[in-house]
Amino acid sequence: MEIITVAHAPLWCAPRKRWLPIMVAGNCWEPPATKVTFVSKRKSVFMRNGFHASVFKSDASQGEPEVVVDSNSLSSDNELSQSKIALSEARSIQETIEKDRDRLVEELAQSEVKQREYASIIEHNKKLAIAEIEAAKSLFKETLQGSISEKFGLESKLVLEKQEAVELAVQVEKLAELAFQQATSHLLEEAHLRVSAAETAAAEAVHHIEEQIRHATEGTISSILDQSKQAICKALFAAGQASNHAEKAVSTSSGGNNLLDEIAAVRSQNLGLQNAISGLESKLLVAERGIERLKVDLEQVVAQAKASDSRASVAEKAFADLEELTRKHSSKREEEVKLLMDKMKEEAAERENASSKAFKVKLEGIMAAVDAAKETAHLKDQAYERRVTALQRSLRASESVMEAWRQKAEIAQSILDGERSTGEENVPYLSTGGRIDLLTDDDSQKWKLLAEGPRREIPEWLTRRIRTIFPKFPPRKANIAEALSVNSLSLNLPKPEEVWSIAQEKPRDMGVLVDHFIEKEVIEKKRKALERALERKTIKWQRTPEEIKLEPGTGTGREIVFQGFNWESCRWRWYMELAPKAKDLSQSGITAVWFPPPTESVAPQGYMPSDLYNLNSSYGSIEELKHCIEEMHNQDLLALGDVVLNHRCAQKQSPNGVWNIFGGKLAWGPEAIVCDDPNFQGCGNPSTGDIFHAAPNIDHSQDFVRRDIKEWLNWLRNDIGFDGWRLDFVRGFAGVYVKEYIEASNPAFAIGEYWDSLAYEGGNLCYNQDAHRQRIVNWINATGGTSSAFDVTTKGILHSALHNQYWRLIDPQGKPTGVMGWWASRAVTFLENHDTGSTQGHWPFPREKLGQGYAYILTHPGTPVIFYDHFYDFGLRDTITELIEARRRAGIHCRSAVKIYHANNEGYVAKVDESLVMKLGHFDWNPSKENNLDGTWQKFVDRGSDYQIWLRQ
């Protein structure tokens, strides 16, 4: 053990961090506040008030160092030796410090090398991650392009198959017609030949018999005449002889001859004459008998002629039967062809469904691949974060070690420089900076690279694909009532700095692909909103007189409605099928689109509603419905909702087992059902209209029912976005309730379905249909004129009028027949809808007359409706678009005046307003032939004998 002598100096023990008391002359002396720090692991030198002491710690000692104080060490001779010792020890300590510094520098260099290795590993991993993400993006791009190209291929194949099916149907119809014509022509020729042969044989027989009778009669009569002549000659000769004999007798008597001989001779001559006469009579009798035989023969010939006539009639009957059989056979063939067409349509629909399902499966696979790529990127991000965290922990540990050695180096440096700490409790800490400071510096490009990654722009093709994958759901539609309450349009244009910020905004190339797409979509929405704002007109909104107040029944008066569905539309996600057609419909001149019933329904078509607030129907979800309506609004089209207010299907049974308890938000009971509904035991008031027997009829006289319905209609109007209504089965309740509903919901347009039967007599349509159109007009009047109605009268009359009975299109007052002639602004004309046509076919319009029908309703007053099937499936799109253009150029609206010039079996001619003239039928007519038609007219449409249209120049 080494001994240290100390004179009146307390000791500081560095390992225990406290002062040690010193025993002097048996007393314990407490140290003052001054301290001296160890600078070596083995020795420390303490300097205080000119005294010095050395403390030596044994290597084997585990406790506090032993200190021995010698009071005789205060002599000056020992100070020099102690100083030398201290100097040598300081030099050894300095050498030790230099060795420690060299070792620290080596460790620092090693840590820097390790840090560079970590940075290179991180950079390598990042490059791998970026390469994998790029590969995933390219794979996604290829898969998406393949799926889209396959979809386009399937759609093109479907279109080709539809065209082939239509062409096949046309060819089958032509072949059937040709076969029928060939068969009938062959049979007709054969029958005509047989009839002509029979007639020729009968005529020849009659002529032969007449010739025989004539020859026989002539021969008999000539023989009789000859015999008569001979007999007369003989009689005359006998008479002459008798006269001679008489003369001789007279002369003899006078001369003396014998009279008796003469008398005997005369008698014998008379007997001869009598015999000759009897012979002539017998010959005449024989001739009469021959004539009788000839008469019998003539009667036989006549009978044969009658038999030939009967055979000819039998042949004609057989021909008629053959024609009937041929007609039945042709109708059967037509039915077979129709069934074949239906089967082909079903197969095409099934193929389309299969292709759509396959596309959906592939799309789901693509989405799964995207999700997998997203998950992979997420896992890589997590691994990257873990690597960064480990690197930071390593750097922090390295910094802590470096800080400890820095402190030790500073203490050693301070001792070597002879610094003394007086009045300070702690050694000051001088920061020299470290690796973490470099990485966390805001200006460090390395940290930005690690945090954000490289920035790259998105290609245009990828942007288009992103738009197709992520559907856009539009914001809430503006209220029309608020728009109508202002005199000018509000611009709300963005500021220039906002324009530039949106225009220059770019998405960050983040690690997760879906987040990148969403950010891109947000930027595109901002830009589109900016474009719409900048495209608004800056001039004052000048309203036309018709637009000052929109009437619910007529709107602006220039609406053209398109029924956007048929009876089979519920089999597809119809909202997504209809939305892409908005631009095409708007460009064709359509102004309003009639949507199918949107509510949840027992029947898939929507006309048996249950929960009125549930808009997830067979046609699509509520989000798809809003998206479809927004697409219509973007193309300036009105969206008309098909609302069923007469009846509603219950969700629960009463204790009696009757379905008369409703569910959902409108939880009505039997008190909401009319009491005269025979099937559902309602407790309300009697019905104000006809009973619909398939579902409970709602009692609209109840206040709570009307209040709930008005709230529902306003919800559809303001929250969903519908602009107007198509009211189903309005015969079931009074029109005064319709007036209340329309006034509460303020639609831009409203149509009521008042379907009633026309008047027929003997199976033929009556000319006078005033009673029928009067019933429809009465219902419109009951609504206070707030709603229009379908002109069923005009549809029924057109069925017969276009078959060369054009005289049906004018009433005794010279006006158009139907509701159009009495209240044109409330008449909604149509040819077909989902009930009359489509696959139901309750009252289909003659297909060969559809062009004439649309020419009539699109050039006349009222509001015309175009059926979906006619526009997209029957090949009438160009025809209808042409007629809409003629209506637009002529400025025809729902109140236009009509003057009818001709209406007979040959055709129909009318002037609408002062700008359009139209002709139906095959007769020759043009405006120059009409004396009462002034002005210069130019032919706009010429469809031959079907219809022609002229516009005033």
Side-chain angles (χ1 to χ4, degrees), residues 722-743:
F722 282 114
D723 302 294
W725 317 122
R726 183 265 183 186
L727 304 169
D728 182 69
F729 196 74
V730 295
R731 287 175 51 193
F733 54 101
V736 64
Y737 301 128
V738 175
K739 179 178 183 293
E740 185 175 351
Y741 297 146
I742 290 178
E743 290 176 347

Side-chain angles (χ1 to χ4, degrees), residues 684-952:
N685 298 316
S687 176
T688 56
D690 297 337
I691 296 295
F692 181 78
H693 295 281
N697 288 251
I698 302 302
D699 182 12
H700 293 268
S701 65
Q702 302 285 352
D703 293 337
F704 73 92
V705 170
R706 296 199 305 278
R707 181 184 65 251
D708 290 345
I709 290 178
K710 286 185 284 188
E711 290 179 359
W712 177 62
L713 290 175
N714 279 295
W715 176 70
L716 292 177
R717 184 91 165 83
N718 299 322
D719 293 358
I720 306 303
F722 282 114
D723 302 294
W725 317 122
R726 183 265 183 186
L727 304 169
D728 182 69
F729 196 74
V730 295
R731 287 175 51 193
F733 54 101
V736 64
Y737 301 128
V738 175
K739 179 178 183 293
E740 185 175 351
Y741 297 146
I742 290 178
E743 290 176 347
S745 59
N746 190 27
F749 197 82
I751 315 170
E753 183 208 19
Y754 195 94
W755 189 352
D756 198 3
S757 298
L758 278 73
Y760 291 87
E761 184 176 356
N764 298 319
L765 183 70
C766 297
Y767 168 71
N768 189 348
Q769 298 292 337
D770 289 349
H772 184 269
R773 58 176 171 173
Q774 184 64 54
R775 290 192 291 271
I776 300 177
V777 168
N778 290 340
W779 180 84
I780 300 173
N781 192 46
T783 67
T786 59
S787 175
S788 57
F790 288 110
D791 194 350
V792 184
T793 313
T794 295
K795 170 182 166 58
I797 291 173
L798 284 174
H799 277 250
S800 300
L802 298 182
H803 289 87
N804 298 328
Q805 297 180 10
Y806 300 102
W807 47 267
R808 293 182 179 274
L809 298 177
I810 184 172
D811 65 4
Q813 289 76 34
K815 298 180 179 180
T817 51
V819 181
M820 182 198 304
W822 282 0
W823 203 347
S825 64
R826 300 299 188 271
V828 178
T829 55
F830 72 105
L831 302 182
E832 211 156 78
N833 57 31
H834 60 285
D835 288 322
T836 64
S838 188
T839 55
Q840 289 203 100
H842 291 318
W843 194 21
F845 198 84
R847 185 165 183 175
E848 68 278 5
K849 299 296 181 180
L850 285 172
Q852 282 187 316
Y854 277 114
Y856 182 80
I857 67 174
L858 287 172
T859 58
H860 279 64
T863 302
V865 177
I866 299 167
F867 187 42
Y868 180 92
D869 292 1
H870 297 165
F871 195 78
Y872 282 112
D873 295 339
F874 282 24
L876 295 176
R877 183 184 182 281
D878 295 338
T879 299
I880 295 173
T881 304
E882 185 180 48
L883 292 171
I884 292 175
E885 179 64 17
R887 183 183 183 92
R888 185 191 67 80
R889 292 192 181 187
I892 298 173
H893 50 85
C894 67
R895 296 178 178 84
S896 296
V898 179
K899 183 177 181 180
I900 301 174
Y901 290 99
H902 298 281
N904 48 35
N905 288 331
E906 295 181 350
Y908 170 87
V909 177
K911 180 180 73 172
V912 185
D913 280 342
E914 297 296 330
S915 54
L916 183 144
V917 173
M918 65 93 62
K919 175 186 77 73
L920 300 175
H922 53 78
F923 73 107
D924 185 16
W925 185 91
N926 60 68
S928 62
K929 295 183 179 181
E930 190 66 47
N931 295 327
N932 298 325
L933 195 60
D934 299 330
T936 304
W937 300 86
Q938 182 179 7
K939 185 178 291 185
F940 184 73
V941 179
D942 186 359
R943 293 303 176 98
S945 61
D946 285 344
Y947 60 89
Q948 293 177 344
I949 297 175
W950 292 265
L951 298 178
R952 183 189 292 273

Side-chain angles (χ1 to χ4, degrees), residues 164-395:
E164 290 177 358
V166 173
E167 293 176 357
L168 180 61
V170 173
Q171 292 178 0
V172 170
E173 290 180 357
K174 290 182 179 179
L175 290 175
E177 184 178 1
L178 181 61
F180 176 73
Q181 291 178 357
Q182 291 178 354
T184 52
S185 62
H186 177 69
L187 294 172
L188 284 171
E189 291 177 358
E190 186 176 356
H192 284 307
L193 290 175
R194 290 180 179 178
V195 171
S196 60
E199 290 178 352
T200 304
E204 289 178 353
V206 170
H207 179 71
H208 182 66
I209 292 170
E210 287 178 354
E211 287 292 331
Q212 289 181 353
I213 292 171
R214 185 172 60 80
H215 289 304
T217 305
E218 288 179 356
T220 305
I221 292 172
S222 61
S223 62
I224 291 171
L225 288 175
D226 292 336
Q227 292 177 2
S228 299
K229 286 179 180 181
Q230 293 176 2
I232 290 169
C233 290
K234 289 181 180 180
L236 290 174
F237 180 72
Q241 287 180 356
S243 61
N244 291 329
H245 286 299
E247 289 176 356
K248 288 180 179 180
V250 172
S251 63
T252 303
S253 61
S254 63
N257 293 331
N258 190 4
L259 293 175
L260 293 174
D261 295 330
E262 292 291 334
I263 291 169
V266 170
R267 284 182 178 176
S268 62
Q269 290 179 355
N270 287 333
L271 288 173
L273 289 173
Q274 287 179 356
N275 291 329
I277 289 170
S278 62
L280 290 174
E281 287 178 353
S282 62
K283 290 181 179 179
L284 183 61
L285 182 61
V286 170
E288 288 177 354
R289 288 178 180 176
I291 291 171
E292 288 294 331
R293 285 195 301 271
L294 291 175
K295 286 182 179 180
V296 170
D297 294 335
L298 182 61
E299 288 176 357
Q300 289 179 357
V301 170
V302 171
Q304 289 179 358
K306 289 181 179 180
S308 299
D309 291 336
S310 64
R311 284 194 298 272
S313 62
V314 170
E316 290 179 354
K317 185 177 180 181
F319 175 71
D321 294 337
L322 181 60
E323 286 184 341
E324 182 67 18
L325 181 62
T326 306
R327 187 182 62 80
K328 290 182 179 179
H329 182 67
S330 62
S331 62
K332 185 177 179 181
R333 290 290 300 276
E334 289 178 356
E335 290 177 356
E336 291 177 354
V337 171
K338 186 177 179 181
L339 291 175
L340 180 61
M341 288 296 298
D342 293 337
K343 185 176 179 181
M344 292 174 65
K345 287 182 179 179
E346 290 177 357
E347 291 177 354
E350 290 176 357
R351 286 195 297 270
E352 185 177 1
N353 291 332
S355 62
S356 62
K357 288 180 180 178
F359 176 74
K360 288 180 180 178
V361 170
K362 290 188 178 180
L363 186 59
E364 290 175 355
I366 294 171
M367 294 303 296
V370 171
D371 293 336
K374 177 181 176 182
E375 184 67 18
T376 303
H378 182 63
L379 293 175
K380 289 181 179 179
D381 288 342
Q382 289 180 348
Y384 168 71
E385 290 175 357
R386 286 195 295 270
R387 293 192 192 101
V388 172
T389 304
L391 178 60
Q392 289 178 351
R393 285 199 302 268
S394 176
L395 291 174

Side-chain angles (χ1 to χ4, degrees), residues 44-62:
S44 295
V45 177
F46 300 86
M47 304 295 294
R48 185 178 186 276
N49 298 328
F51 299 98
H52 68 277
S54 296
V55 179
F56 296 92
K57 180 179 178 183
S58 176
D59 293 336
S61 176
Q62 300 297 326

Side-chain angles (χ1 to χ4, degrees), residues 597 599-603 606-612 644-645 647-651 662 695 712:
T599 55
E600 178 191 27
S601 173
V602 175
Y607 290 99
M608 300 288 283
S610 54
D611 185 3
L612 298 183
V644 183
L645 304 179
H647 51 273
R648 181 184 171 195
C649 293
Q651 281 97 335
F662 303 98
W712 177 62

